[in-house]
C-alpha cells in the first residue's frame, strides 16, 4: 500500500495492542506513577504514555520508536492535549536506548530487542533501581498451527514459559493480566476499520483491489489461524 493508505491504516486504533480503556487504567494504577521519568520503548504514537502523564503532572515522558508517522501522531496529540512540554518523542532504536528511567513501558516491542528473553534482560539495565516495568508480550494460549507460526515466528512462548523467562531475568511480578477476547476482537476490528471505511467510500479507486485483499486476508488470518491461539500478557515488574 502507498504512504497515504499506510498512514490511514491505524487511525481508528486507540493503541497498537489488545487493550481496553478500563484495562489500560488498571495497568497505570499498578505502575504506581509519580514524579520522575517514564520511558515508552517501542511507543508507536504513545497513547498510554500520554495518558500516564495526563494523570501525573510531575511525570516526564519519553517515547522511543522508529516509525516517523506514528511519532508525528504522538507529537500532535501531545500538543493538542497540552502536554508538549511534558513529553518528547524521539526516532531511535528502542533496544539501544540507554536509560535509566523510573518507569518503563515496553508493550508489543520485544521484537526490537531480538527476542522476549533478550528484551527482559536488557530492560533490567534500563529501569532504575526501585523502578517498575510494564511489559506486554504475546504468548501462545493454545498450540499454534504451522500457519500461525509462519505469521508470528517461533520466538513466542507459552504463558508458563513467559513467566519463567521473567523470573530468570531477575524480575518480580507485581501484577499480571491478559487481554480477553473482546479486547482482541476490538483490536483486530480497529486495525482494519479505517481502510475498510475508505474502501466503502472509494470502491472504484485503482488501489481498492489491494486494500480489499489486505483487509479480507487480515480478517481470515485472525479468525482461522490465531484467534484464541495467540494471547497477550501484561506484566508489571520490579527488581
Amino acid at each position: 500500500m502507498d504512504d497515504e493508505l499506510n498512514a490511514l491504516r491505524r487511525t481508528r486504533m486507540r493503541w497498537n495492542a489488545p487493550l481496553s480503556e478500563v484495562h489500560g487504567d488498571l495497568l497505570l494504577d499498578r505502575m504506581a506513577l509519580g514524579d520522575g521519568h517514564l520511558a515508552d520503548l517501542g511507543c508507536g504514537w504513545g497513547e498510554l504514555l500520554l495518558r500516564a502523564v495526563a494523570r501525573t503532572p510531575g511525570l516526564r515522558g519519553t517515547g522511543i520508536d522508529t516509525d516517523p508517522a506514528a511519532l508525528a501522531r504522538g507529537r500532535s496529540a501531545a500538543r493538542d492535549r497540552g502536554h508538549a512540554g511534558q513529553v518528547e518523542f524521539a526516532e531511535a532504536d528502542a533496544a539501544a536506548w540507554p536509560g535509566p528511567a523510573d518507569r518503563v513501558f515496553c508493550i508489543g516491542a520485544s521484537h526490537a530487542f531480538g527476542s522476549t528473553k533478550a528484551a527482559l534482560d536488557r530492560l533490567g539495565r534500563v529501569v532504575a533501581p526501585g523502578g517498575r516495568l510494564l511489559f506486554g508480550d504475546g504468548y501462545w494460549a493454545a498450540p499454534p498451527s504451522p500457519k500461525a507460526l509462519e505469521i508470528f515466528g517461533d520466538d513466542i512462548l507459552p504463558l508458563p514459559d513467559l513467566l519463567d523467562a521473567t523470573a530468570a531475568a531477575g524480575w518480580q511480578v507485581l501484577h499480571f493480566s491478559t487481554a480477553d477476547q473482546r479486547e482482541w476482537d476490538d483490536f483486530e476490528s480497529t486495525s482494519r476499520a479505517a481502510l475498510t471505511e475508505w474502501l466503502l467510500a472509494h470502491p472504484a479507486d485503482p488501489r481498492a483491489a489491494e486494500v480489499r485483499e489486505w483487509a479480507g486476508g487480515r480478517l481470515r488470518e485472525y479468525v482461522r489461524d490465531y484467534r484464541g491461539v495467540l494471547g497477550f500478557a501484561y506484566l508489571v515488574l520490579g527488581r
Side-chain angles (χ1 to χ4, degrees):
M1 286 184 284
D2 62 26
D3 290 344
E4 177 190 359
L5 293 176
N6 273 323
L8 177 66
R9 186 167 70 86
R10 292 177 174 170
T11 55
R12 294 291 182 270
M13 300 173 71
R14 182 182 303 110
W15 32 54
N16 195 15
L19 182 67
S20 67
E21 296 207 44
V22 171
H23 196 171
D25 285 340
L26 172 66
L27 295 175
L28 293 179
D29 288 343
R30 297 296 185 264
M31 284 293 285
L33 301 169
D35 294 352
H37 185 197
L38 166 63
D40 189 346
L41 304 183
C43 66
W45 52 91
E47 179 62 28
L48 195 62
L49 173 66
L50 291 170
R51 295 189 184 208
V53 299
R55 61 155 61 186
T56 317
L59 186 64
R60 176 171 58 91
T62 301
I64 305 293
D65 207 284
T66 57
D67 184 341
L71 292 167
R73 176 177 170 181
R75 293 186 188 107
S76 178
R79 288 192 300 269
D80 291 346
R81 301 180 199 180
H83 299 302
Q86 196 178 355
V87 181
E88 65 172 337
F89 288 90
E91 185 175 347
D93 178 6
W97 193 75
D102 306 288
R103 299 289 187 267
V104 174
F105 296 163
C106 182
I107 301 173
S110 61
H111 58 88
F113 297 81
S115 69
T116 295
K117 292 179 180 179
L120 288 165
D121 181 64
R122 174 74 181 108
L123 290 165
R125 300 191 293 276
V126 173
V127 179
R132 293 190 182 191
L133 166 67
L134 172 55
F135 187 70
D137 206 29
Y139 67 90
W140 294 126
S145 67
K147 179 62 175 177
L149 286 170
E150 178 185 335
I151 295 169
F152 296 104
D154 57 6
D155 178 57
I156 296 173
L157 303 171
L159 186 55
D161 292 354
L162 173 59
L163 293 172
D164 286 346
T166 300
W171 293 102
Q172 296 294 324
V173 178
L174 297 163
H175 169 84
F176 159 70
S177 54
T178 62
D180 64 24
Q181 195 62 65
R182 179 175 292 181
E183 288 175 300
W184 265 110
D185 290 346
D186 183 59
F187 169 62
E188 289 290 334
S189 294
T190 55
S191 74
R192 301 186 312 274
L195 286 183
T196 304
E197 291 166 358
W198 177 90
L199 187 62
L200 292 171
H202 304 86
D205 190 286
R207 300 166 292 178
E210 181 185 11
V211 173
R212 188 177 296 109
E213 180 179 0
W214 179 87
R218 174 75 180 249
L219 179 59
R220 286 191 297 274
E221 283 184 343
Y222 175 53
V223 173
R224 294 176 180 176
D225 300 315
Y226 63 92
R227 187 177 188 268
V229 174
L230 181 68
F232 204 86
Y234 296 95
L235 307 173
V236 175
L237 304 174
R239 59 186 305 172

